[in-house]
Every structure is written in C-alpha cells, then in structure tokens.
Amino acid sequence: DDLKAIQGHNPNIALKIRSGKFDAGAFKKDAKSIIDSTWYVSGAPLKTGEMRTSLLQLGVPQNSIMVEEFAGY
C-alpha cells in the first residue's frame, strides 16, 4: 500500500508486481524503457539471481538493478 501511495504522487514511478516465472516479454511491454529504468527485485536468492541475469541480458546496466534477497516465507 505504501508503494502504491508513492506511485500516486510521482509520475516517474511505475509499480509492477509480478510473481512466478520471469517473462521478459511482459517487462518489455510494461516498461517505457527497460534500459533507462531502475529495477527493484526482491525474493528468494535463486529467483532474484535469475531475474538479475535476465535483466542484464536485456541490456539493463548492473547499477540499475537493486536486489533484496530473503529466504523463507
């Protein structure tokens, strides 16, 4: 809810919440510019690692990918 409130006050923030397997096509469709966006990724270490690798392969600079890993739910 806090992130949605922040998004409502800042037109430069687009919040997209996804779960499940990474789909590069969905991100290409949702992002104005994949490369010029800052990506915040959180989840289990294996999944965040997969996401980081996929974003890098799409051309996203490493310093534009912010990752928070946590184990267990």
Side-chain angles (χ1 to χ4, degrees), residues 1-3 5 12 14-16 18 20-22 25-26 32 35-36 47 50-51 53 55 60 62 64-65 68:
D1 291 333
D2 290 340
L3 290 175
N12 295 315
L15 177 63
K16 304 292 181 187
R18 301 247 189 255
K21 189 168 171 68
F22 175 72
K32 291 179 183 174
I35 295 172
D36 294 331
K47 294 298 179 186
E50 290 173 359
M51 176 69 88
T53 298
L55 289 169
V60 176
Q62 186 165 332
S64 294
I65 305 170
E68 181 179 352

Side-chain angles (χ1 to χ4, degrees), residues 7-69:
Q7 175 182 290
H9 295 292
N10 188 331
N12 295 315
I13 295 176
L15 177 63
K16 304 292 181 187
I17 299 172
R18 301 247 189 255
S19 61
K21 189 168 171 68
F22 175 72
D23 177 8
F27 283 98
K28 285 182 181 180
K29 180 178 66 176
D30 287 337
K32 291 179 183 174
S33 172
I34 289 178
I35 295 172
D36 294 331
S37 297
T38 300
W39 296 86
Y40 294 90
V41 180
S42 66
L46 179 63
K47 294 298 179 186
T48 57
E50 290 173 359
M51 176 69 88
R52 181 195 309 254
T53 298
S54 296
L55 289 169
L56 290 169
Q57 290 172 348
L58 289 170
V60 176
Q62 186 165 332
N63 64 344
S64 294
I65 305 170
M66 310 301 160
V67 177
E68 181 179 352
E69 297 177 343

